[in-house]
Amino acid sequence: SLPDFLAPVDCTDAEAALAQVRRIYQTGRAHLRQALQHFAAHPQEAARMERVRACYPFVRLSVPHSRQTQSQLAYGFVARPGQYEATLTRPDLFAGYYLEQFRLLLRNHGAALTVGSSHQPIALPFALDSDVSPEDSALTPGQRLHLPEVFDMPDLSAMDDRIANGTFHSPPGQPEPLSLFTAPRVDYSLHRLRHYTGTSPEHFQNFVLFTNYQFYIDEFMALGQREMQNPQSDYIAFVQPGNVITRRVDLPARGAAADDALPSAPAARLPQMPAYHLLRADRSGISFINIGVGPSNAKTITDHIAVLRPHAWIMVGHCAGLRSSQQLGDYVLAHGYVREDHVLDEDLPLWIPIPALAEVQIALQQAVADVTQLGGSDLKRILRTGTVATTDNRNWELLGAGVPQRRFSQSRAVALDMESATIAANGFRFRVPYGTLLCVSDKPLHGEIKLPGMANQFYRERVGQHLRIGLRAIERLRQNGLDRLHSRKLRSFDEVAFQ
């Protein structure tokens, strides 16, 4: 069975296009949920129940001839005539994003947007609440056996990253993509985000910080609680794993926003990569995630956050200083990367450079000056700009024969970690502005290894300052304007229209 058919509609107004997307999505989702309730309530019908299906909405743009666009933005238009299409999901979550993309396409091309039902099925798990699976219903073993025969399940072939990787080619006669991600790919990542971070995607903000140490999270938690006691704060809520929401002291505790209705309970144990969110009303707040140690985690979490289309993500963590002139507690602002993490080699070949982004670099350098109140030679003394090497070998020092030391010296690297190049490379790959500001916590090549007492003193002295620098950098990026941040440097000459 299918939901009631909604014919494709040509829209010359972005709000009308979004309303039609909502109508199609909500109708299809309700159809699947009602069918699941019937399926669960009638176990004797499981083997003979007819196929149930609902499909994602699509938006289509037809450009009949070349037209020179005058857009000052790097997105919101297509480069050549043709037909372009994207499947869409979760209009409740992406309403603001979709509206912006629709408005730009209408303004830049003067053609109507067609909104209709696609042929891409919505997988049943993606139609349910993020913390519910089909098996959570009271299904018998026989019903569970027949569930895939009645409902569509996630199909990995519909959610690969070929568009983002630049390897996708539309079959003859089929539309070109409008977006980096298909609707199933987005839904998959939304579910993965909750699993890995312990918070719902509704809470994620448009500026993201990553760290590789819990000490930074402890400092951020204390900051979040202080902000919630300040009625003058720009932040309206602080969210911790388990969707535990603390609202600003002058705001109602319940019913103030839709996210109050999300299931919440303190996490019995922290998830793999716990996330904490300082919310602003316009979603321009800060999400802070402890990704732990290693490039695999760094790739995993950025693969999924990318579908939220954040304005920027920045790594603030610890590193090994490689130069004798560095001191513990000095900062390293990465302007290049040695990629020995290997986790992105298939998606982003090593011959592709990962450039420094001036807008982020300047914001980070100015933030260091703002927080430390240093300038000129004094600032240069504690802030080193240079290449950061990222390795997947935590015990690289034990390789012997001076092999890694020689490679790092040849690369001119000034610092080494296990996450930064991965985060920057995935930012480049997914067109998300990125940056790295690290703090030297040990100098293994020079006999200064991280010992417990030394480390504890270092953390007390530097973590708070480092976090304030990251927050100040985000303030500067927010103030500088997003049109400068989302520049053409991250976009190819044959790019999708959506940001």
Side-chain angles (χ1 to χ4, degrees):
S1 66
L2 297 170
D4 293 338
F5 177 70
L6 296 174
V9 175
D10 290 338
C11 302
T12 57
D13 176 80
E15 284 78 7
L18 178 61
Q20 184 66 2
V21 170
R22 288 184 188 273
R23 196 172 297 117
I24 294 170
Y25 180 78
Q26 291 169 356
T27 299
R29 189 182 185 206
H31 178 72
L32 292 175
R33 291 159 72 103
Q34 291 168 6
L36 178 62
Q37 291 175 357
H38 178 85
F39 182 86
H42 299 85
Q44 69 280 4
E45 298 181 15
R48 58 181 185 275
M49 188 172 172
E50 65 176 327
R51 187 79 177 174
V52 177
R53 172 166 290 176
C55 293
Y56 290 104
F58 72 79
V59 61
R60 181 184 299 142
L61 172 70
S62 296
V63 180
H65 50 76
S66 297
R67 176 175 174 171
Q68 186 68 35
T69 63
Q70 302 301 317
S71 176
Q72 298 300 308
L73 297 175
Y75 55 92
F77 58 88
V78 296
R80 61 181 187 273
Q83 195 171 83
Y84 300 83
E85 188 175 297
T87 51
L88 308 176
T89 188
R90 292 295 304 276
D92 57 317
L93 179 60
F94 293 104
Y97 172 74
Y98 289 157
L99 273 176
E100 182 188 16
Q101 312 311 311
F102 294 170
R103 286 170 180 154
L104 290 172
L105 290 175
L106 290 168
R107 185 181 73 193
N108 290 328
H109 293 286
L113 296 174
T114 302
V115 178
S117 295
S118 73
H119 297 292
Q120 180 63 57
I122 303 174
L124 179 63
F126 298 159
L128 305 178
D129 294 330
S130 58
D131 61 335
V132 174
S133 70
E135 289 75 16
D136 289 332
S137 304
L139 302 182
T140 67
Q143 285 176 303
R144 294 180 183 180
L145 180 65
H146 291 290
L147 195 68
E149 300 171 2
V150 178
F151 297 94
D152 290 293
M153 293 292 128
D155 178 8
L156 290 177
S157 67
M159 54 183 76
D160 60 59
D161 282 330
R162 287 178 297 161
I163 301 173
N165 291 348
T167 60
F168 177 80
H169 299 285
S170 294
Q174 295 298 310
E176 297 290 329
L178 269 176
S179 172
L180 290 177
F181 303 106
T182 63
R185 170 67 168 84
V186 173
D187 272 338
Y188 173 75
S189 282
L190 297 182
H191 278 249
R192 292 286 83 196
L193 279 176
R194 190 184 190 286
H195 170 74
Y196 285 119
T197 70
T199 56
S200 296
E202 287 82 355
H203 296 308
F204 275 80
Q205 301 294 286
N206 280 323
F207 291 95
V208 183
L209 291 176
F210 300 107
T211 190
N212 50 11
Y213 278 94
Q214 181 65 27
F215 296 92
Y216 286 83
I217 296 297
D218 295 340
E219 195 75 19
F220 189 70
M221 290 172 62
L223 169 69
Q225 298 298 343
R226 290 196 300 271
E227 289 289 331
M228 293 305 98
Q229 296 304 312
N230 177 13
Q232 306 303 316
S233 175
D234 292 332
Y235 299 103
I236 61 173
F238 179 58
V239 181
Q240 302 178 64
N243 294 322
V244 177
I245 303 173
T246 303
R247 295 209 161 269
R248 202 174 63 200
V249 66
D250 59 315
L251 296 176
R254 303 293 296 179
D259 56 17
D260 279 325
L262 293 169
S264 64
R269 58 181 180 275
L270 285 179
Q272 183 175 344
M273 290 177 272
Y276 302 77
H277 312 276
L278 268 173
L279 275 57
R280 285 169 60 113
D282 61 357
R283 301 187 69 87
S284 67
I286 300 167
S287 292
F288 197 18
I289 305 169
N290 180 5
I291 61 176
V293 177
S296 179
N297 277 1
K299 178 184 183 297
T300 296
I301 199 64
T302 49
D303 278 350
H304 299 313
I305 292 177
V307 305
L308 298 174
R309 310 313 298 143
H311 295 320
W313 59 43
I314 296 173
M315 177 69 185
V316 287
H318 293 165
C319 65
L322 299 179
R323 302 300 178 92
S324 60
S325 58
Q326 291 171 304
Q327 302 296 318
L328 299 186
D330 284 357
Y331 295 110
V332 174
L333 176 58
H335 74 181
Y337 300 90
V338 176
R339 293 173 52 199
E340 292 197 352
D341 52 325
H342 302 301
V343 294
L344 279 169
D345 292 358
E346 292 185 16
D347 295 299
L348 195 72
L350 288 172
W351 56 263
I352 298 176
I354 309 300
L357 304 182
E359 296 81 4
V360 182
Q361 298 294 101
I362 292 171
L364 284 168
Q365 179 171 321
Q366 291 176 335
V368 176
D370 292 344
V371 172
T372 63
Q373 294 293 291
L374 297 176
S377 59
D378 290 332
L379 179 63
K380 189 174 182 180
R381 178 175 50 82
I382 68 160
L383 177 64
R384 182 80 175 255
T385 301
T387 297
V388 170
T390 292
T391 179
D392 60 356
N393 184 353
R394 180 61 186 87
N395 297 314
W396 60 272
E397 306 99 323
L398 306 181
L399 289 175
V403 173
Q405 291 90 327
R406 182 171 64 250
R407 289 203 308 274
F408 298 147
S409 178
Q410 290 173 323
S411 72
R412 314 306 195 262
V414 299
L416 179 103
D417 79 344
M418 298 187 69
E419 301 86 24
S420 293
T422 310
I423 289 170
N426 239 9
F428 180 90
R429 175 179 168 228
F430 290 128
R431 291 73 162 172
V432 176
Y434 51 85
T436 299
L437 183 72
L438 302 175
C439 191
V440 176
S441 61
D442 61 338
K443 295 168 58 183
L445 298 183
H446 308 283
E448 296 188 51
I449 62 175
K450 196 181 301 180
L451 300 175
M454 179 193 307
N456 289 337
Q457 181 180 0
F458 165 76
Y459 296 143
R460 286 194 299 269
E461 293 177 351
R462 268 293 184 262
V463 165
Q465 183 184 78
H466 194 184
L467 178 59
R468 292 195 301 275
I469 291 170
L471 301 180
R472 178 59 180 150
I474 287 176
E475 289 177 8
R476 284 189 166 274
L477 291 173
R478 195 187 290 127
Q479 294 164 0
N480 291 342
L482 302 180
D483 55 335
R484 295 179 57 193
L485 190 56
H486 292 290
S487 69
R488 287 176 170 81
K489 290 188 285 291
L490 293 181
R491 300 178 71 82
S492 71
F493 50 78
D494 189 17
E495 192 62 83
V496 298
F498 281 21
Q499 178 268 318

